[in-house]
Amino acid sequence: MDSCSSSVRDSSSPFDCLIFDLDDTLYPSNTGLGEACKTNIDDFLVEKCGFPESKASSLRVELFKSYGSTLAGLRALGYDIDADDYHSVVHGRLPYDRIKPDPQLRNLLRSIAQRKIIFTNSDRKHAVKALDRLGVRDCFEQIICFETMNPNLQSSTRPDEFPVVLKPSMEAMEIALRVAEVDPRRTLFLDDNVRNVAAGKAVGLHTVLVIN
């Protein structure tokens, strides 16, 4: 497989780098992975945390609204949830076969000479699997993911010691800019989430809301 990387830059472009969200941005929402992910979160709440099955969906929604993710909410509330265990259920059970290779997307990415980076709230294993299924992993020089934003969680002995950091928090956006080593004024950020796009604007990125 030819690499998508390129050492040639388009000097006429206003951008040096494009930062892409992954889920529901690079592949369409009609794959059903988003709904499967919600079901898996509900299963985690029941199987691992002991919540009643009848309460799981509403709790998931409430934690997302209040804390940005179920994992962040559980840890903020004092539950000693290991991030790897959480992701092994939430992402490990996903039907990845629903993501099909996308030659059109690959050709589009290959036509873009600028640096291309993935910025996702998902864990690295999920990002790699999804990108491999699409056939575009080699089109990106870097994956900024859950582990990038939360390097201290594995060493933490208290759930509330290190709050989970995810988009759309300003801390997450600033981490991404620092790790990617980009000038936000010359960087385009593409995401399907309105709140994430607003956060991107707040840190000076040029933004595109992806409608899927």
Side-chain angles (χ1 to χ4, degrees), residues 162-210:
F162 294 106
V164 174
V165 176
L166 297 170
K167 294 183 288 184
S169 75
M170 288 298 101
E171 185 177 357
M173 304 306 297
E174 289 164 1
I175 289 171
L177 293 178
R178 183 172 68 252
V179 170
E181 297 182 328
V182 295
D183 178 351
R185 297 167 299 180
R186 292 191 56 83
T187 304
L188 185 64
F189 173 52
L190 302 92
D191 199 297
D192 68 295
N193 184 288
V194 173
R195 293 171 65 195
N196 293 347
V197 168
K201 284 185 180 294
V203 295
L205 290 163
H206 297 270
T207 59
V208 173
L209 177 63
V210 177

Side-chain angles (χ1 to χ4, degrees), residues 118-171:
I118 292 292
F119 180 24
T120 176
N121 281 342
S122 299
D123 64 303
R124 183 171 297 275
K125 286 182 181 179
H126 168 74
V128 168
K129 284 183 180 179
L131 291 169
D132 280 344
R133 291 291 306 178
L134 284 166
V136 299
R137 180 159 53 127
D138 64 322
C139 294
F140 298 93
E141 69 170 57
Q142 194 173 12
I143 298 173
I144 298 171
C145 57
F146 180 89
E147 290 88 345
T148 314
M149 295 179 279
N150 298 277
N152 297 312
L153 282 191
Q154 297 302 323
S155 61
S156 174
T157 57
R158 298 203 327 265
D160 60 345
E161 185 176 9
F162 294 106
V164 174
V165 176
L166 297 170
K167 294 183 288 184
S169 75
M170 288 298 101
E171 185 177 357

